Amino acid sequence: MIRFAFYGRVSTEDQQDPEASRSWQLGRARALIDGHGQVATEYFDVGQSRSLPWKRRPEAARLLQDLPHSDRGFDAVLIGEPHRAFYGNQYGLTMPVFEHYGVTLWVPEVGGPIDPASEAHDLIMSVFGGMSKGERNRIKIRVRSAMQSQAKVEGRYLGGRPPYGYRLADAGPHPNPAKAADGKRLHVLEKDPVTAPVVERIFRWYLGGMGFFLIAQTLTDEDIPSPSAYDRARNRHRTGIAWSKGAVQAILANPRYTGYQVWNKQHKAEVLLDVDDVALGYETKLKWNEREQWVWSDRPAHPAIIDRATFTAVQERRARRGPSSDRPKVRAAHPYALRSLLVHHQCGRRMQGTWNHGHAHYRCRYPQEYAIANLIDHPLAVYLREDAILPDLDAWLASAFDPQRLTATLDALVDQQPEETTALTDPIRRTIAACDRRLAQHRAALEAGADPILVTGWINETQAERATAVAALARAGARTKTTPPRLTRQEIKNIVEGLGEIIDVIRAAEAADKAEIYGQLGLRLSYDHETHVVSAEVSPRSSVGLLAVSEGGLEPPRPIKGTSTSS
C-alpha cells in the first residue's frame, strides 16, 4: 500500500469555507487512490493565493522541506485539484524536485501517477497551470470592471478605512441576494461631528497662507488628536502624540472631501521578489496611479466637507509651491568627504551634506512635531562643520594604524569580533518568530469573539510577511545557520598592514578621494550634539584588495573606536 501526502489550497478569493473546500478536494483525491493506498499526512494552505510559488506557501514549503528526509512518512504526493495547486509554470519548477527524491505525483486529470517522461502528461499539467493563471487574470479584470462601474455610476463606497473627517453609516442590505442573506450590508460615508470641523479648518488655514508645518504645530498645540490618535485601533504602530506634516498633506490632497466618490487612486502592482530568482514569484505593493486614472463618481455620493472650488484652489496653491520654472536648476556640485558616513546620535538618522558660507557642513533637520511624536528632544536643525572633524579624524586614523601601535590595534580588532552564534540571532529568523507570535495572538482574538473579517485580514497580512521571510531564509541557505568564522590574528594583520599606504595619502587627498578611502576603510561616524563629541569606528574590508578569498566566508573585523570633540 502506498502512503500518500495530500496537498490542497484554498484562498480568501474563493469565498469558500476552508473546511468545506478541504473536504471536497480530499474526497476527490481519495477517490483517485482507492485500492492503491491511503492518505498518511496532509498539507493544506489556507488564505494563500495560487500565484505564490510553493516555497512561499507555508504548507507547501513544509512539504518541500520534508521531501529529503527518509522518515517523511509518505511515498507519493496526492493533489485533488491541480488548478489550486499549480499556477503558471509552477508544475515545471516543482515536479523535478519530486522526481529527484523519488516521490510520485498523483492527480485526477491523468487518472493516476504522472509519468515524468510522458509528453502528454507534461502538456496536460502545463495547460492546467496556464488555465489557472488565466482564470485568476479574468477574475481580476471582472472585479476591477465591476468596481469601476459601481464607483462611477452608483458612487458606492467600496471599502477601506473612512477618511479622517468621516465615519461609516449603514446604507441598507447588500444588493446581491446571496450576500444579503449572509448578513452583508452596504455602507456610506457620513460626516464625523468631531473631526469634520478639523478638516474644514485645515483647508481654511492653508488657503489663508499657513504652511503644513504650522498647521500641524497649531493642531498639536490645541490638543486636537491626530488621525492616528483618534483611531488607535487602526494605528497601533504609531505613537499618535502629535500631528505630522504628512497627515496635513494627505488631508489637503484627498478629493473625497468634496462629496464625490473617488476610486482607483492606487493599484496593486506585482513586483518580482528577487530579479535573480524569478521562481520565487512576485510580491504585491501598492502604487499611486496618475490623477488621469482616478475614477470619479458622476454625482455626489456623500456629504461634502468642503466644496470643489475650495479643493481646486488648494491644489493650485500646492502646485505653486513646487518649482517655479520648467528649466532645470543648475547647482554647483560640492564634494563631501563624509557623505553617507555621519549619523546623528540623538535620532539615528544620517546627516545630510549642505554647503554654507563657503564651507561643507552636515545637517540633521527634524521638525518639532516629529520630535514630539517620537518622544525625542531634538533641535529643529543640528549643524556640524566638516573641517572641524577631518584634522582630528585623519590624525586618529594615522595613529591607529601606525606600525608602533600595530599590536594594540590588532588586539582591539581581534577582541571585538562577534562570537559564533546560532541561527536564532539571525534577523530573518527573528522576523519569522515574531510572525508566529502575532498569528497566535490573532487566532486568540478570533476565538475571543473579535470581528472575523478584520482578524482574517490581519492573519493574511502576517502569513504573507512570514512567507516572504521564509523565502528570504531559503535564499540565504547555509549562510544563515551560523555567523561567519572569526578571522585569525594573522589574517587581520595582513589587512591592517596593507592599509599603511592608504592612511599616508588621506591627509593630502581631495574631498572626493577622501570619501572613497573612508568608505573602503568601513568608517562610520556618530555626532552627539549635546556633548559635541564625534565617535568614529572603522571596519577594514578585505575588498580593499589586500586579501584575496576564493570561496568567501571571511567577514571584516569588528570596528575599533575613537572619539573626537567638536564645537
Side-chain angles (χ1 to χ4, degrees):
M1 297 291 284
I2 303 175
R3 299 174 302 168
F4 287 92
F6 164 73
Y7 176 73
R9 182 198 62 83
V10 63
S11 75
T12 54
E13 300 172 353
D14 298 311
Q15 300 294 324
Q16 288 192 28
D17 173 54
E19 187 57 35
S21 179
R22 171 190 165 277
S23 296
W24 73 257
Q25 291 183 56
L26 183 57
R28 190 166 186 254
R30 281 175 171 161
L32 173 67
I33 63 171
D34 187 26
H36 297 281
Q38 60 183 6
V39 175
T41 184
E42 296 183 22
Y43 301 84
F44 192 77
D45 277 311
V46 178
Q48 302 298 318
S49 171
R50 72 183 76 184
S51 64
L52 287 177
W54 278 48
K55 289 182 179 180
R56 293 174 57 199
R57 304 180 199 168
E59 289 297 296
R62 188 166 67 89
L63 190 156
L64 293 177
Q65 292 170 0
D66 291 343
L67 285 177
H69 304 298
S70 58
D71 59 346
R72 58 180 174 249
F74 60 88
D75 310 303
V77 173
L78 176 64
I79 290 177
E81 177 55 68
H83 277 85
R84 295 174 180 267
F86 299 113
Y87 172 89
N89 64 342
Q90 290 176 2
Y91 165 77
L93 297 172
T94 308
M95 186 60 196
V97 181
F98 292 156
E99 187 179 3
H100 175 78
Y101 291 111
V103 175
T104 56
L105 177 65
W106 290 53
V107 295
E109 280 63 27
V110 300
I114 291 178
D115 180 3
S118 171
E119 292 184 7
H121 285 189
D122 187 70
L123 179 61
I124 290 173
M125 296 305 298
S126 297
V127 168
F128 275 111
M131 291 173 60
S132 178
K133 184 175 182 179
E135 179 184 349
R136 180 172 181 265
N137 289 336
R138 286 195 301 274
I139 291 174
K140 289 170 60 177
I141 292 173
R142 288 199 301 267
V143 169
R144 287 188 58 82
S145 298
M147 294 178 71
Q148 179 176 343
S149 176
Q150 292 167 351
K152 181 174 178 57
V153 179
E154 303 175 28
R156 183 185 298 185
Y157 173 75
L158 297 175
R161 74 174 67 186
Y164 179 81
Y166 286 107
R167 64 186 182 186
L168 293 181
D170 185 80
H174 200 283
N176 185 314
K179 293 184 177 181
D182 203 27
K184 291 183 172 60
R185 304 182 68 81
L186 292 181
H187 294 89
V188 68
L189 297 177
E190 67 175 12
K191 286 185 179 181
D192 185 329
V194 176
T195 57
V198 179
V199 174
E200 294 178 356
R201 292 174 68 189
I202 290 174
F203 276 88
R204 185 170 64 252
W205 286 345
Y206 188 73
L207 286 181
M210 293 177 64
F212 304 132
F213 287 112
L214 181 57
I215 293 175
Q217 187 61 52
T218 302
L219 294 172
T220 300
D221 292 342
E222 293 184 7
D223 293 327
I224 296 176
S226 64
S228 58
Y230 186 73
D231 188 3
R232 293 302 300 154
R234 293 178 181 267
N235 296 276
R236 295 172 182 167
H237 60 295
R238 299 183 184 276
T239 61
I241 296 177
W243 281 79
S244 69
K245 167 188 172 183
V248 174
Q249 287 178 315
I251 289 173
L252 292 172
N254 196 335
R256 298 170 81 181
Y257 292 120
T258 63
Y260 286 81
Q261 182 62 273
V262 182
W263 178 76
N264 200 40
K265 292 193 295 182
Q266 291 179 300
H267 71 281
K268 292 182 178 179
E270 293 187 339
V271 181
L272 279 173
L273 190 65
D274 187 346
V275 295
D276 296 322
D277 189 358
V278 180
L280 286 176
Y282 299 81
E283 59 179 339
T284 302
K285 293 185 177 181
L286 282 176
K287 293 190 175 182
W288 287 97
N289 291 325
E290 298 294 334
R291 296 183 67 90
E292 295 75 17
Q293 297 177 282
W294 294 5
V295 177
W296 289 66
S297 60
D298 294 334
R299 57 182 184 275
H302 49 263
I305 295 180
I306 50 102
D307 55 54
R308 294 195 69 169
T310 299
F311 181 79
T312 301
V314 166
Q315 306 318 305
E316 290 176 351
R317 188 191 169 204
R318 292 180 68 234
R320 288 197 300 270
R321 290 172 61 90
S324 59
S325 173
D326 293 334
R327 293 178 298 176
K329 294 183 178 180
V330 179
R331 295 184 178 181
H334 298 293
Y336 297 95
L338 302 175
R339 64 174 184 265
S340 303
L341 304 179
L342 180 63
V343 299
H344 185 207
H345 172 74
Q346 273 68 22
C347 65
R349 300 191 310 165
R350 184 173 295 156
M351 299 183 73
Q352 298 178 332
T354 178
W355 197 265
N356 295 325
H357 306 292
H359 296 280
H361 290 72
Y362 297 90
R363 177 185 68 183
C364 181
R365 188 174 185 274
Y366 210 84
Q368 187 174 2
E369 67 270 19
Y370 295 169
I372 295 174
N374 290 281
L375 306 179
I376 294 177
D377 184 13
H378 196 298
L380 179 61
V382 174
Y383 285 88
L384 179 62
R385 188 160 154 170
E386 185 180 86
D387 56 18
I389 311 173
L390 295 186
D392 289 342
L393 175 63
D394 293 343
W396 171 72
L397 288 172
S399 64
F401 294 100
D402 186 272
Q404 297 179 356
R405 293 193 57 189
L406 184 58
T407 300
T409 301
L410 288 176
D411 290 339
L413 291 172
V414 171
D415 291 342
Q416 295 185 53
Q417 286 192 95
E419 297 293 335
E420 293 188 6
T421 56
T422 65
L424 293 176
T425 61
D426 187 275
I428 302 177
R429 292 187 180 274
R430 289 199 295 269
T431 298
I432 296 174
C435 290
D436 290 337
R437 289 193 297 270
R438 292 208 305 273
L439 285 172
Q441 294 171 354
H442 297 338
R443 294 188 180 106
L446 192 61
E447 294 174 357
D451 184 353
I453 297 178
L454 181 60
V455 177
T456 300
W458 294 346
I459 291 176
N460 290 340
E461 291 177 1
T462 306
Q463 286 179 332
E465 181 182 350
R466 188 185 189 281
T468 301
V470 170
L473 189 61
R475 291 198 305 274
R479 289 176 297 171
T480 61
K481 294 179 181 178
T482 59
T483 56
R486 291 165 57 93
L487 292 175
T488 66
R489 185 181 182 86
Q490 184 60 44
E491 289 168 341
I492 298 176
K493 182 178 180 181
N494 293 340
I495 296 175
V496 173
E497 288 181 339
L499 293 173
E501 294 184 3
I502 297 178
I503 300 298
D504 291 339
V505 301
I506 285 182
R507 295 185 179 183
E510 298 292 335
D513 296 328
K514 280 180 178 284
E516 179 66 23
I517 296 173
Y518 290 151
Q520 292 294 336
L521 288 174
L523 177 66
R524 291 293 179 268
L525 302 170
S526 176
Y527 175 54
D528 187 330
H529 76 268
E530 294 179 351
T531 60
H532 302 290
V533 171
V534 176
S535 299
E537 58 182 42
V538 292
S539 299
R541 304 189 182 108
S542 59
S543 59
V544 176
L546 308 172
L547 181 64
V549 182
S550 61
E551 296 296 331
L554 293 180
E555 290 290 318
R558 288 291 294 265
I560 60 175
K561 299 183 178 180
T563 60
S564 171
T565 58
S566 172
S567 57

